[in-house]
Each structure stands twice: as C-alpha cells, then as structure tokens.
Amino acid sequence: MLRHKHFRLVWFAAFGSSIGTWMEGVGVQWLMAKLTLAPEWVAAGRPDAALMMGFLGAAQLGPTLLLGIVGGLTADRVNRRTLLMVTQMIMMCVAITLLVCSLAGVLSPFLLLSISLLNGIATAFNIPAWQVLTPRLVPREELTRAIVLNGIQFNLARVIGPGLGGLLMAKYSPDVLFAVNAVSFIGVVLAV
C-alpha cells in the first residue's frame, strides 16, 4: 500500500497530524482541569472540574455526532481537496490560537470550550473528506488494505500521541503540545 506515492504521502502526513491532535487533546484536558481546580474558580462557585471536563468532551466530540451527516453530504458535493485544505487550516488556526492564548496567559475554561467547539465542528467536516479520499489514492483491489492501514495509523496515533504528549508536558508545558500540533498540519496541507 505504501508503495503508492500519493497514498504514502497522505498516510504519513495524517499519522503525524493525528499524533499532534492527540497531544493537543492532552494539553487542553490538563489545562481545563488545572483552571477549574484553581482556588479562585472554586471560590467563585463556578461549575466544578468534573462538569467542565464533561462540557469539554461534548464540545470536542458533539459536533461530529450532530454534524456528521452534514459533513458527509458536504464531502460528497464539494471539492474534497478544498474541503480538506479548509478544515486542516481551521484546525491549524485552532492550535495556533491555543498556543498564543496559553503563552499570553489568557486561557479560561470558557475560552477552551469555545476553541474546542470550533475544532470539533471542523473535525465533523474533515473526517468524511478523509474517508472518501482513500479510494482515489489506491487501486480498487487494494482498497481494503488501505483502509486497514488507515485504521492502524489512527489507533497507533491514539497510543503515541497522549503518551508523547504527557512526556513533553511533564518536561515543558502544554504550549509545546499546541506548537507541535500546529506544525503537524503543515505536512497534511502539503500532502493534500
């Protein structure tokens, strides 16, 4: 499968980006927990950390559930390459926004929720565009193996991303995770 140049480029770019995305997720979750466990947050009587983590999960994953069909229909009706470029650029801007806001010290739980919601909406349109791209990159008789490789890439990134993210965050800060994720989109944009 990886002998097909275009599939190989997209596969490795997606793998790197997936790792970066999982790393970013670790940083966002850690910051949400840190901010909502802060004494000033608790003293103000705001929603507790567990509830805010639930809201964060809903902001990140809810749009895929609610907009998945719309994303699929959009991917079928528009230029997939353009859709991928737009969604990847939005997700890169989200990572850059997280980095800048974190470096400036202006991140709040509600800003994290807003940024995560935007990322979730972009993801709802990005996933279907990725899924319909693979059949165009490999011959029909090799499609099943390509889909399996995509699954392996995704699941391997689910293991490597949070693990590497935790190591980097322990040594540095969540800012590094946001920076790595922002850079990881460059490979995808170039491959697409």
Side-chain angles (χ1 to χ4, degrees):
M1 294 311 334
L2 295 177
R3 70 179 173 277
H4 300 287
K5 178 185 176 188
H6 297 295
F7 178 78
R8 181 176 61 245
L9 289 173
V10 168
W11 191 89
F12 279 110
F15 185 47
S17 183
S18 293
I19 290 171
T21 298
W22 285 103
M23 290 171 65
E24 177 184 281
V26 168
V28 168
Q29 292 168 2
W30 183 84
L31 278 172
M32 179 63 83
K34 179 182 174 188
L35 292 169
T36 56
L37 290 171
E40 58 273 5
W41 179 270
V42 175
R46 294 192 172 127
D48 69 359
L51 184 60
M52 292 303 289
M53 292 297 281
F55 288 151
L56 180 64
Q60 292 170 327
L61 303 173
T64 302
L65 176 68
L66 297 174
L67 298 173
I69 292 174
V70 175
L73 290 171
T74 303
D76 287 340
R77 288 183 164 62
V78 303
N79 182 304
R80 290 168 192 96
R81 181 177 176 203
T82 302
L83 181 59
L84 277 171
M85 295 295 282
V86 168
T87 57
Q88 292 294 307
M89 295 302 288
I90 290 170
M91 291 187 289
M92 181 169 30
C93 288
V94 164
I96 292 168
T97 301
L98 282 168
L99 175 62
V100 170
C101 290
S102 183
L103 288 171
V106 296
L107 279 177
S108 70
F110 297 112
L111 184 56
L112 281 174
L113 286 175
S114 300
I115 292 169
S116 296
L117 180 63
L118 176 61
N119 201 46
I121 292 169
T123 300
F125 289 86
N126 186 65
I127 290 172
W130 271 117
Q131 290 173 337
V132 296
L133 180 65
T134 301
R136 303 191 185 294
L137 299 175
V138 297
R140 184 174 177 82
E141 60 274 5
E142 296 183 43
L143 184 57
T144 301
R145 288 184 293 209
I147 292 169
V148 168
L149 271 177
N150 283 338
I152 290 170
Q153 172 268 118
F154 178 77
N155 288 309
L156 203 53
R158 288 173 86 169
V159 173
I160 294 171
L164 185 57
L167 289 172
L168 288 173
M169 194 167 63
K171 185 158 177 71
Y172 303 105
S173 73
D175 304 339
V176 172
L177 308 182
F178 304 146
V180 168
N181 191 39
V183 170
S184 76
F185 287 106
I186 295 170
V188 174
V189 169
L190 292 174
V192 172

